[in-house]
Amino acid sequence: MNIPQKLKYTKDHEWIKIEGDVATVGITDFAQGELGDIVYVEVETVDETLDREEVFGTVEAVKTVSDLFLPLTGEIIEFNETLEDEPELVNSDPYGKGWMVKIKFSEASEVEDLLDAAAYKELVG
């Protein structure tokens, strides 16, 4: 299982890459493996400001649909539109081309609540 050291994580199995006041968000290798083949990613919250842990979209796999929870309070400034035609990128490249949204976050203190790679690895066993 791939858990890059440089990223942050949530208990909801999302990864976060922090660059200044922008966070790129996707689901972890563990999460995509548990979901199975992903067939659709829906995010209709671009340009909306949401609180941490609010649902910002859904990911649909062959057998299930899962909500996506915002890891940090802020405005969703971009959706990875490539996923509209190639949702399988979430399976094949979850930490790269399979990213889902970019957030301009407003509460920097919330970053401290995210898990580091070691804590996430412990969470998933």
Side-chain angles (χ1 to χ4, degrees):
M1 179 176 18
N2 185 8
I3 304 175
Q5 293 292 319
K6 65 184 185 232
L7 302 175
K8 297 288 189 180
Y9 300 89
T10 69
K11 292 177 180 157
D12 295 315
H13 308 290
E14 288 153 349
W15 61 262
I16 302 93
K17 180 180 179 183
I18 306 290
E19 296 172 296
D21 63 352
V22 174
T24 303
V25 179
I27 65 170
T28 65
D29 188 37
F30 174 83
Q32 70 79 21
E34 292 291 301
L35 287 168
D37 292 338
I38 292 171
V39 295
Y40 189 67
V41 178
E42 180 176 51
V43 174
E44 294 184 349
T45 50
V46 175
D47 298 328
E48 291 183 27
T49 298
L50 302 174
D51 290 330
R52 174 173 64 174
E53 298 181 3
E54 276 194 86
V55 173
F56 72 85
T58 57
V59 61
E60 184 176 337
V62 173
K63 297 179 183 175
T64 188
V65 176
S66 293
D67 287 334
L68 297 166
F69 297 96
L70 205 62
L72 300 166
T73 299
E75 179 185 359
I76 298 177
I77 57 172
E78 188 177 347
F79 167 60
N80 182 358
E81 294 181 2
T82 304
L83 299 181
E84 290 177 345
D85 296 322
E86 299 178 74
E88 65 275 6
L89 287 173
V90 176
N91 293 116
S92 63
D93 191 10
Y95 300 114
K97 293 178 182 173
W99 67 273
M100 294 182 173
V101 295
K102 292 189 179 187
I103 309 161
K104 184 171 177 66
F105 61 93
S106 55
E107 302 291 332
S109 62
E110 291 177 352
V111 174
E112 297 168 19
D113 297 333
L114 299 173
L115 305 174
D116 63 14
Y120 184 71
K121 186 175 185 177
E122 192 173 299
L123 175 75
V124 297

